[in-house]
Amino acid sequence: MTPPTSPSPTADDSAELLPVATPARTRAALRTLIRPDRGLALTGLGILVAATAVGLLVQPLLGRIVDIVADGRPAGDLTLPVVLLVAVAVVQGLTTTLGLTRIARLGETVLARLRERFVERALNLPADRLERAGAGDLTARVTGDVARVAEAVRSALPEMARSVLAILLTLGALALLDVRFLLAALLAVPVQLLTARWYVRRALTLYADQRVANGAQQQQLLETIGGAVTVRGHRLEEQHTERSAGRSRKAVDLTMRSVNLVLGFYGRLHIAEYIGLAAVLIAGFWLVRDGAVSIGTATAAALYFHSLFGPVNAALVLLDDAQSAAAGLARLVGVTDLAEQPEQSEPTAGKAAPASSVPRQRTPSSEAAVTVHEVGHAYGPGRPVLHEVSLTLKAGEHVALVGTSGAGKSTLARIVAGVQQPTTGTVTAQTSTGEASVVLVTQEVHVFTGTLAEDLRLARPDATDADLRTALSTVHALDWAEALPNGLATVVGEGGHRLDPARAQQLALARLVLADPALAVLDEATAEAGSAGARVLERSAEAALAGRTALVVAHRLTQAVAADRVVVLEAGRVVESGPHDELRDADGPYAALWRAWSGSRATAPHP
């Protein structure tokens, strides 16, 4: 096989990042997420309104105390206001806790719904679309953006709700004392509105750019580290280091711009506070001098405005979190919307059926017949991978797909499996009863965290323990599975019992047996194991494929020998097709591959 090619210096520069939703679309998506919990939202807001209204009794009570002292009344007259202050504190504390609990529950519910929808849609994204965007962009969204939205939901949402209610009700209380106090306090509003407008106009674009820059930086780091061997082999260390440094410099520059933006935001808020408080104090002085209000009332008005400092600043400061979260939410909604859009209307391919709909007893008539008609595929303009590939798999036939690296084998396998749409052409996979169910097994197998039984039941949730043992026995994995510390109840995956690559692949093949598809596609499913492990996996794969139609991307040509037919791809085109013996003796591309492979095995040192 040919060695891996070096990374293109401009490959990542032309990456087509995943889309970002418009503000209008983001708001619509947010309303959709909240709609199922409207009752919880209204209840929480109602309790917070009551809590805030009770809290507004503090300032008049303090003003009453000031009037009692100023008038020289007996100390006993202070008892009632003080008792009422204590009662207000207790009632406000209890209702605020209850209201914030409801709002927090609403936020966590919406956040969970967003996460579930994002994960569901992200898993359904076409493979070529993810490859064009790069792993870094999706990784940044599923980590950084989700975390930013989660932080806003857990802290900003409850505080914002309470702050807005406090502002509105406090302004109403000022008007009840004397409308002139309200007019004086409103002198701060123009400065605050201008500050908010100045900030929002700059923040949304800045934070969106910052998230994109962070995603590009992460993508560059992933590519550089993941391809470290190739980078060193082609002496590209300096080039990749400079590109990583350039991405980092851009991310740092955007971060510093956001810091300067926040500093300017706070400075303008302080100016508004000074203007408003001075206006209220001057209004109080004139009203008390004219006998329009008492000293206690003027004191209550000043305290009301002073109490606005916290909510107003919190609401405006939370614009920082809100804008950052909005940018993150827009990126998440962009992914969910992309997954909802049909990729193309013309090409069709067989799709994997749910495990619950797969027949448990296979008959010869239920095996799939596959037709690949003039399929072409490109991962971008000028980057064709497949060229008018036509191929037919008879029902029950096992076809091995071979070729040099970069010939397009994995792309064709994904298209046949229905997980990727072709650019041109069609793929159909049919049984005698309708569209065929399909399962794709690749060399990149993930062992999910949980018991071995739970991992197997991902393919068929209703499977009994007997079904699981039968599937494991079919792929020659029952002995080691039962030898685990707790058998099928052994925890595997992250933090659990570690399975080596060969056993992990057998687990994937056992899931294939449980799903029982009419068509199975194996993409180098034995590549991760060593020579001894590969022989075991080839036996497991052969057993798992028995009784079903199969397309096997052969990592080792022993799989081609065992296949009914061998198809040779070269530069995205089918150049040969036929049984192993016939192609081996034909002195064509397959014969050259066979000589190179069998010769290397004959001269390879034995362990």
Side-chain angles (χ1 to χ4, degrees), residues 204-258:
L204 188 58
T205 302
L206 179 58
Y207 282 121
D209 291 343
Q210 190 175 8
R211 298 304 304 156
V212 170
N214 289 338
Q217 179 191 28
Q218 194 164 6
Q219 172 67 21
Q220 181 61 52
L221 291 175
L222 286 172
E223 289 187 354
T224 300
I225 295 173
V229 174
T230 304
V231 170
R232 287 195 296 268
H234 290 268
R235 301 292 188 271
L236 297 173
E237 296 94 337
E238 183 177 348
Q239 179 183 354
H240 275 256
T241 299
E242 178 57 33
R243 287 161 65 186
S244 296
R247 302 276 185 180
S248 298
R249 283 193 296 269
K250 183 174 182 180
V252 170
D253 176 65
L254 288 171
T255 300
M256 293 308 301
R257 285 173 55 191
S258 68

Side-chain angles (χ1 to χ4, degrees), residues 30 66 76 94 111 115 202 220 224 327 358 420 441 451 458 483 541 574 589:
L30 186 59
V66 169
L94 292 175
L111 178 61
R115 280 175 166 162
R202 290 161 175 78
Q220 181 61 52
T224 300
V358 177
Q420 184 168 316
V441 180
T451 66
L458 291 171
V574 176

Side-chain angles (χ1 to χ4, degrees), residues 115-166:
R115 280 175 166 162
E116 291 169 1
R117 185 168 299 181
F118 178 81
V119 170
E120 176 188 357
R121 302 289 169 76
L123 290 174
N124 289 324
L125 286 176
D128 58 336
R129 186 65 184 87
L130 289 178
E131 290 179 3
R132 293 200 304 269
D137 188 28
L138 185 61
T139 301
R141 298 186 192 219
V142 80
T143 54
D145 290 318
V146 169
R148 191 63 57 88
V149 173
E151 181 182 356
V153 165
R154 290 174 180 143
S155 59
L157 177 63
E159 187 62 30
M160 176 69 83
R162 186 170 62 170
S163 297
V164 170
L165 289 173

Side-chain angles (χ1 to χ4, degrees), residues 331-574:
R331 285 162 55 82
L332 298 178
V333 173
V335 172
T336 61
D337 284 353
L338 177 65
E340 287 180 335
Q341 298 169 0
E343 278 291 295
Q344 296 184 21
S345 57
E346 294 182 0
T348 60
K351 297 293 189 294
S356 59
S357 68
V358 177
R360 297 292 169 251
Q361 298 295 326
R362 181 166 306 290
T363 61
S365 62
S366 67
E367 295 163 349
V370 181
T371 302
V372 179
H373 180 66
E374 296 184 353
V375 162
H377 191 74
Y379 287 109
R383 298 172 57 194
V385 178
L386 298 175
H387 306 270
E388 297 182 349
V389 173
S390 293
L391 177 65
T392 299
L393 278 71
K394 300 175 182 178
E397 185 180 23
H398 291 185
V399 174
L401 197 59
V402 302
T404 58
S405 296
K409 304 186 298 298
S410 293
T411 300
L412 181 58
R414 290 197 297 267
I415 290 174
V416 171
V419 300
Q420 184 168 316
Q421 293 291 328
T423 304
T424 59
T426 59
V427 177
T428 57
Q430 297 287 329
T431 68
S432 59
T433 57
E435 189 177 37
S437 55
V438 188
V439 168
L440 170 68
V441 180
T442 71
Q443 61 179 325
E444 298 174 355
V445 176
H446 183 74
V447 178
F448 292 87
T449 301
T451 66
L452 183 64
E454 290 171 342
D455 206 308
L456 288 166
R457 286 194 176 98
L458 291 171
R460 199 173 114 202
D462 62 345
T464 65
D465 285 352
D467 293 331
L468 303 186
R469 289 188 174 87
T470 299
L472 289 169
S473 178
T474 300
V475 299
H476 311 292
L478 183 60
D479 289 343
W480 65 256
E482 292 188 331
L484 292 175
N486 296 306
L488 295 179
T490 302
V491 176
V492 295
E494 188 71 24
H497 188 89
R498 183 180 178 276
L499 299 182
D500 61 37
R503 290 183 174 182
Q505 197 71 45
Q506 283 182 306
L507 183 60
L509 292 171
R511 287 198 293 254
L512 184 150
V513 172
L514 286 167
D516 196 23
L519 170 63
V521 180
L522 271 57
D523 184 5
E524 298 191 346
T526 65
E528 291 297 317
S531 297
R535 287 192 290 271
V536 172
L537 285 182
E538 286 172 8
R539 289 177 55 234
S540 299
E542 183 178 356
L545 298 179
R548 63 186 96 252
T549 307
L551 177 66
V552 179
V553 177
H555 177 70
R556 290 173 173 82
L557 293 190
T558 49
Q559 295 171 291
V561 175
D564 299 319
R565 184 159 52 100
V566 179
V567 173
V568 183
L569 276 186
E570 194 171 277
R573 291 181 171 86
V574 176

